[in-house]
Amino acid sequence: MISIRLGVVLTLLCLFGCSDRATLPPLPDVRLEGLDSAVAAQIGAALETARARERDAEANGRLGMVLQAYLKLDEAEVAYRRTRLLAPDAFEWAYLHAVVLQGLGRNQDALVALREAISRRSDDVAAGLRLAGLLAETGDAAGARNRFETLLRSRPDLPQANLGLGRLLLALLLSPMVVGKDGLGLLFELVDDVSGLPQLARDLV
């Protein structure tokens, strides 16, 4: 009876382990030919480490970071996808994956990854700013405004958030169809104190 139960347990463990392994995409196929020798050496070393420690999130994440640093974004995306499957609760891998996805123009996927990152570290300023900017870029003005204002409630002197919110409000107020892209840019240049942009926009409404 004990041997039967042990066999069932081992079978289930194997099934779950094999299933988990099957979810991982293969390591990225990185071509090193034609790269600077120092760059090729760094990428090659990170790739070999990831091969040797296939299920180690840090090794896979390190590979993603090296590939991202040298603008191998397609390959970095695969490495970060693997890393997030291995460490689904880690903020840093979700955030870096989002940065790469945005660099690849996959904005909706980037938004999902950013929201997951922020759900793990809600006070991270860089992630909050990137999410607000990407929401504005993808046409979600209400979401972008809410995110900028959330940042400013805890950091009222944060220049990037003041500038982003001010530009967003002015863009909503002064349609590019009316003032044109250059005209809006000149308006931004006239406001030296970026902290005053949100209030300026509100005063004009």
Side-chain angles (χ1 to χ4, degrees):
M1 181 66 69
I2 294 176
S3 62
I4 293 175
R5 288 178 179 173
L6 181 59
V8 170
V9 171
L10 290 174
T11 300
L12 288 173
L13 287 174
C14 178
L15 287 173
F16 285 124
C18 293
S19 175
D20 184 40
R21 183 180 295 274
T23 63
L24 283 182
L27 283 164
D29 181 18
V30 186
R31 298 187 178 280
L32 302 179
E33 300 85 358
L35 295 176
D36 177 83
S37 59
V39 172
Q42 288 186 56
I43 295 176
L47 189 57
E48 285 304 310
T49 300
R51 284 173 179 156
R53 295 157 53 190
E54 183 182 351
R55 304 195 59 76
D56 186 311
E58 291 294 326
N60 281 271
R62 171 65 180 169
L63 174 61
M65 292 171 69
V66 172
L67 291 168
Q68 181 181 1
Y70 293 112
L71 301 180
K72 296 277 190 181
L73 298 188
D74 286 304
E75 295 87 344
E77 190 279 323
V78 176
Y80 284 140
R81 190 157 21 108
R82 287 173 55 88
T83 306
R84 291 182 63 197
L85 289 168
L86 294 168
D89 295 328
F91 162 84
E92 58 271 24
W93 305 131
Y95 176 71
L96 290 173
H97 192 201
V99 173
V100 167
L101 288 166
Q102 186 177 4
L104 290 170
R106 294 170 52 183
N107 289 339
Q108 293 305 316
D109 292 334
L111 284 171
V112 172
L114 274 173
R115 288 190 172 105
E116 288 186 13
I118 289 172
S119 74
R120 289 153 178 74
R121 193 181 296 173
S122 60
D123 61 346
D124 189 86
V125 172
L129 287 170
R130 184 172 291 273
L131 177 57
L134 189 52
L135 287 168
E137 183 181 333
T138 54
D140 185 355
R145 178 174 182 171
N146 179 66
R147 179 57 56 178
F148 280 129
E149 289 178 341
T150 297
L151 286 164
L152 288 170
R153 276 194 289 274
S154 59
R155 295 279 300 276
D157 60 343
L158 187 64
Q160 301 96 320
N162 275 296
L163 180 60
L165 178 59
R167 284 181 166 175
L168 176 66
L169 294 174
L170 285 170
L172 292 173
L173 178 66
L174 304 172
S175 167
M177 293 179 64
V178 178
V179 301
K181 182 179 179 182
D182 293 338
L184 195 56
L186 289 172
L187 181 59
F188 293 152
E189 291 176 10
L190 291 173
V191 183
D192 294 327
D193 181 6
V194 298
S195 66
L197 267 173
Q199 191 56 53
L200 171 63
R202 292 191 181 98
D203 291 343
L204 290 172
V205 174

